[in-house]
Amino acid sequence: MRRHWRRQGEWVEFTPGRSVVESEQAVSAWLTDTLRMPPKMLRTMLQREEIRTAGDRLRLKIFAPDADTLEPSDAPADILYEDDACLVAYKPAGMPVHATTPEQDRQKNSLAHAVACHYIWTGQEVRVRHIHRLDVDTSGPVLYAKQAFTHAVLDEAMRRKEIQRHYAAIVQGQPNPKRGTIDAPIGKDRHHSSKRRVSPGGDYAVTHYEVAETGSQMSLVRLSLETGRTHQIRVHMSYKGHPLIGDALYGGDDSGFQRQALHGESLRFLHPLSGEWMEVDAPWPEDMNRLRQKI
């Protein structure tokens, strides 16, 4: 159900109705059940008097300045969607979502650094809070929350598998059947620290796929994830006998394409404040478009 909200300075205002705002108990129930505010956060905000009512309105203080210590990159991220609560940025292939080493942090070449640059250039005192990740060599959209509250709501949505991620991959051969589900647990490869494999003792992992275009040597496959295991699509398609073009780590031919041919096409999620479904598409990168022409 769509909820009307508006920002007023450091406060967000809702109009949930008089039956909600007439008692602290009803307010607390609405915040935890409808907005999915974590109970610990609710107790803290009540103690700090950051939850107020006026008439039929309910106000939460969630927009307090929260500047990041992350050094910005020299150029801002490509923003696919943005409002006061959240942001979706485009991650090009070859860029990590965030720095994992001191050297990467010094180079300031991650998507997090680029998002930090965007916030500074647009005058926003906002901390960089990513909700999910993409592999370094996978392009596509990445969702960010702008406040601790929206971060908590979107994190919970991720845990509940309510954030839908749709991908396009170009794989070797012709998958058969043309549509199906790969339900195979994924664990670490004992012989290769950065590699994963299908393993009976691994973590539950489910990938849905559908072949969209087929050629003599390769096929375009569209995929969606129920789970978000490391390298999940790459592992599952290799397990099925159709590794991604360019994915040498999992048996793919990288002679003519220097990364795994995987792109996040779209992201669908419930907005943390309005409760409405949002869908954000990410354009295909040029290298994937050129490869697709060879199918």
Side-chain angles (χ1 to χ4, degrees):
M1 183 177 180
R2 191 176 187 277
R3 299 181 293 271
H4 174 73
W5 66 277
R6 64 174 179 169
R7 179 174 181 175
Q8 293 190 324
E10 295 185 358
W11 299 76
V12 60
E13 182 178 274
F14 299 95
T15 51
R18 291 190 179 276
S19 61
V20 171
V21 300
E22 64 185 8
S23 71
E24 184 176 306
Q25 183 178 2
V27 166
S28 297
W30 190 83
L31 290 173
T32 54
D33 298 341
T34 302
L35 280 193
R36 293 184 178 177
M37 179 182 286
K40 183 178 179 180
M41 182 177 288
L42 172 63
R43 290 192 296 270
T44 300
M45 292 185 71
L46 286 171
Q47 290 170 357
R48 294 177 178 174
E49 298 184 345
E50 294 175 341
I51 300 173
R52 296 178 182 175
T53 60
D56 62 349
R57 293 165 294 172
L58 173 61
R59 293 173 179 167
L60 311 177
K61 189 177 181 181
I62 67 170
F63 294 114
D66 189 17
D68 210 318
T69 58
L70 187 67
E71 287 288 327
S73 62
D74 295 330
D78 182 3
I79 306 304
L80 301 173
Y81 173 82
E82 182 177 18
D83 63 24
D84 284 329
C86 56
L87 172 150
V88 180
Y90 179 80
K91 190 191 84 64
M95 174 183 281
V97 171
H98 57 86
T100 56
T101 66
E103 178 60 26
Q104 287 181 345
D105 201 34
R106 284 192 294 270
Q107 291 175 349
K108 301 184 292 186
N109 62 355
S110 75
L111 184 61
H113 290 93
V115 171
C117 178
H118 167 76
Y119 287 150
I120 288 176
W121 281 25
T122 53
Q124 301 181 69
E125 294 185 77
V126 175
R127 185 176 297 276
V128 177
R129 298 176 169 94
H130 68 267
I131 302 301
H132 64 103
R133 299 178 178 87
L134 292 174
D135 288 348
V136 171
D137 287 329
T138 299
S139 53
V142 177
L143 176 61
Y144 289 82
K146 288 191 171 184
Q147 300 83 31
F149 170 68
T150 56
H151 190 196
V153 172
L154 290 169
D155 259 352
E156 177 64 12
M158 192 73 184
R159 189 186 69 80
R160 295 190 184 201
K161 304 180 179 64
E162 293 172 349
I163 295 178
Q164 302 170 11
R165 293 156 292 160
H166 301 279
Y167 295 84
I170 298 177
V171 305
Q172 292 177 201
Q174 302 173 345
N176 186 34
K178 291 185 178 297
R179 178 185 299 172
T181 297
I182 305 170
D183 184 347
I186 293 176
K188 292 184 178 180
D189 189 319
R190 292 181 301 168
H191 307 292
H192 198 303
S193 61
S194 62
K195 191 176 180 181
R196 301 294 188 272
R197 67 185 182 91
V198 168
S199 169
D203 295 322
Y204 174 70
V206 176
T207 303
H208 305 287
Y209 75 91
E210 182 174 0
V211 178
E213 299 173 17
T214 301
S216 59
Q217 302 294 322
M218 62 185 82
S219 301
L220 168 62
V221 180
R222 288 196 160 89
L223 311 103
S224 61
L225 304 179
E226 277 194 24
T227 52
R229 307 306 175 196
T230 300
H231 299 176
Q232 180 172 319
I233 289 174
R234 300 165 64 188
V235 173
H236 273 173
M237 293 310 297
S238 178
Y239 172 72
K240 192 170 175 59
H242 301 280
L244 275 59
I245 297 294
D247 193 2
L249 185 62
Y250 292 103
D253 180 5
D254 66 343
S255 58
F257 200 74
Q258 302 305 308
R259 67 173 179 101
Q260 68 261 16
L262 182 61
H263 171 65
E265 281 194 303
S266 67
L267 192 64
R268 192 166 184 262
F269 61 97
L270 284 169
H271 192 278
L273 297 182
S274 74
E276 65 182 322
W277 280 105
M278 309 293 296
E279 186 161 357
V280 181
D281 298 324
W284 274 46
E286 281 304 310
D287 61 348
M288 286 275 289
N289 273 320
R290 290 193 297 271
L291 183 62
R292 182 178 184 176
Q293 293 172 5
K294 298 178 181 180
I295 296 178

